[in-house]
Amino acid sequence: MRLRTTLSVSVAAASALALLTGCGAADMTKQASPFANAGGAKSMTLSVQSWVGAQSNVAVAKYLLEHKLGYRVDTVQVDEIPAWDALSQGRVDALLEDWSHPEQEKRYVHDKKTVSYAGGLGVTGHIGWFVPTYFAKQHPDITNWKNLNKYASQFRTAESGGKGQIMDGSPAYVTHDKALVKNLKLNYQVVFAGSEAAQITQIKQFAKEKKPFLSYWYTPQWLFKKVPMTEVKLPPYKEGCDTDPAKITCAYPKTPLRKFLNADFARSGGQGAEFLKKFQWTTEDQNEVSLMIAEQKLSPEEAAKKWVDAHPEQWKRWLP
C-alpha cells in the first residue's frame, strides 16, 4: 500500500493466509510456480500481495479463470518489490494491484521491457495517518498535523519510548513515516505492528476500549466499516515532493492502482491475458469481498464465488 510471501499456495492455503495478512512477508520468489510462463498452456500464476484487498482481486480473478475459462491458476504470495523481480523473470505472470513503484516500473517496463502495463484496477489507493473518529469528534483540531505534538502524550504506548506512537504495519510497506516524523519535528515514534492482520488486531482492541490511537492506514480497506477513522491532514502532496525519501514533508498521494503482466505472457497469454487486462472493479466491490474473507471468515474461493454469483453483469464484461 498502500504503501499498503510464502511458497506457491493453493486457494485453500490462501484462506489461512488471508487472516494473517499484512502488506509484506518473507520473499520466496525463487520457488517458481510450475504454472508460470507455461508456454501457451491454459495455466498461469498470479502474484498475490499479502493484504486482504489484493487477495480479493486474485480470488475473484482466479475463480473466473478456472470456472469460466478453464484455466489452472496457481498463486504465489510475494512482497511488493520482489514481486516485480518475479514478474520480470516469468516466475509469476501477473500482478493485479501495484501501489506505484516508479523505480521498478522504469527498470522493467521502460528499460528492460520485460513487464507490460495491463491497465487500471479501477480502485484508487491512498495512504495516510488516521485517528479513530470518536477521538476526532472529541478533539477536532487533531485532524491538522500541526496539532499532533499537543496530543503526543495521549498516543504514548509501552513500545513508543515516551513519545507518541504512530502505528505502522510492516517495514515492507510503502511508508515515509519515519522521515515525516523527523522532518515535521513530531514527538512521535513509528512502531511496526508487523502485518496488516496485527495492525487490525491492535486497532480493534484500541477501539473496543475507546482509546486514542494514531495509525498509518490506507483506503480502500474494509476495516473502516467496523472502526470509523478520520484522516489527519499532512502538508499537501505536490508532484515531486516525495522524490527524495529523506526530505519528505508532504502527504501521500492518491494512487490509481494498476495491473502489470510479464511481457511474454501479455503477448502470448491468450484468453487469460486478455481477461486480466479487462479485469476492473470498484472500491466497493473489493471491500465486499475483503469483508467476507477477513471478517466473515470465508475462504477466498468461497468469497469469490459469492461475489461472482451476485454480480454477473460486471464480470461478464471481462470475459474474452
Side-chain angles (χ1 to χ4, degrees):
M1 75 258 30
R2 299 85 185 27
L3 299 140
R4 218 212 165 204
T5 311
T6 61
L7 277 172
S8 168
V9 293
S10 66
V11 167
S15 171
L17 284 166
L19 302 178
L20 299 172
T21 55
C23 293
D27 175 24
M28 298 291 287
T29 57
K30 293 182 180 180
Q31 301 289 335
S33 163
F35 304 117
N37 199 13
K42 294 197 76 171
S43 58
M44 71 173 74
T45 295
L46 303 178
S47 172
V48 53
Q49 309 294 61
S50 60
W51 55 94
V52 71
Q55 291 177 358
S56 298
N57 306 325
V58 172
V60 170
K62 184 180 191 299
Y63 185 89
L64 289 168
L65 284 161
E66 291 186 333
H67 292 271
K68 303 301 178 182
L69 295 177
Y71 274 77
R72 175 70 183 270
V73 182
D74 193 25
T75 61
V76 180
Q77 190 176 341
V78 195
D79 271 353
E80 291 179 84
I81 301 302
W84 279 86
D85 300 329
L87 192 61
S88 173
Q89 296 166 20
R91 294 198 293 265
V92 299
D93 295 310
L95 169 64
L96 299 185
E97 182 173 311
D98 180 70
W99 280 68
S100 183
H101 293 86
E103 290 183 13
Q104 283 66 36
E105 188 174 345
K106 181 180 183 302
R107 180 181 305 132
Y108 295 126
V109 177
H110 302 292
D111 296 343
K112 291 189 174 183
K113 302 187 187 308
T114 52
V115 173
S116 176
Y117 175 55
L121 178 64
V123 176
T124 296
H126 175 61
I127 297 167
W129 291 358
F130 291 84
V131 295
T133 299
Y134 54 77
F135 188 78
K137 287 180 178 179
Q138 294 171 348
H139 308 281
D141 61 339
I142 189 63
T143 57
N144 186 322
W145 72 270
K146 293 179 180 179
N147 297 317
L148 283 172
N149 281 342
K150 173 181 173 182
Y151 294 99
S153 63
Q154 295 194 52
F155 295 115
R156 198 161 45 209
T157 68
E159 292 78 25
S160 61
K163 299 181 177 182
Q165 173 180 281
I166 297 179
M167 187 194 333
D168 272 46
S170 163
Y173 295 6
V174 175
T175 175
H176 310 315
D177 286 2
K178 287 186 176 181
L180 284 168
V181 167
K182 179 181 177 182
N183 296 334
L184 295 177
K185 297 179 172 55
L186 298 176
N187 188 30
Y188 283 80
Q189 177 72 33
V190 176
V191 178
F192 291 98
S195 69
E196 182 183 75
Q199 216 174 344
I200 287 172
T201 297
Q202 290 190 32
I203 288 172
K204 282 184 171 181
Q205 186 59 39
F206 279 126
K208 182 180 179 180
E209 299 172 5
K210 293 295 182 183
K211 289 184 177 179
F213 64 83
L214 175 62
S215 184
Y216 165 108
W217 205 232
Y218 36 85
T219 60
Q221 226 294 333
W222 63 270
L223 186 64
F224 285 103
K225 293 181 180 293
K226 298 294 180 179
V227 181
M229 288 181 265
T230 300
E231 186 169 5
V232 175
K233 293 181 180 178
L234 294 167
Y237 176 84
K238 295 180 181 179
E239 190 69 32
C241 71
D242 53 357
T243 302
D244 185 347
K247 297 180 179 179
I248 290 175
T249 58
C250 60
Y252 294 89
K254 294 188 184 298
T255 305
L257 305 183
R258 300 187 293 169
K259 303 167 294 178
F260 292 89
L261 304 179
N262 171 271
D264 289 338
F265 176 74
R267 288 188 292 268
S268 60
Q271 287 186 324
E274 187 178 346
F275 167 84
L276 292 176
K277 291 173 186 177
K278 290 182 177 180
F279 179 89
Q280 186 177 84
W281 62 351
T282 67
T283 296
E284 291 72 24
D285 292 324
Q286 189 188 83
N287 280 340
E288 183 180 342
V289 178
S290 297
L291 193 64
M292 287 189 276
I293 293 172
E295 191 72 5
Q296 298 174 21
K297 312 304 182 186
L298 271 65
S299 72
E301 183 172 24
E302 289 169 338
K305 182 181 187 305
K306 193 170 180 180
W307 186 89
V308 165
D309 289 346
H311 300 279
E313 74 289 348
Q314 288 175 255
W315 58 260
K316 285 182 179 179
R317 297 196 298 265
W318 308 337
L319 299 181

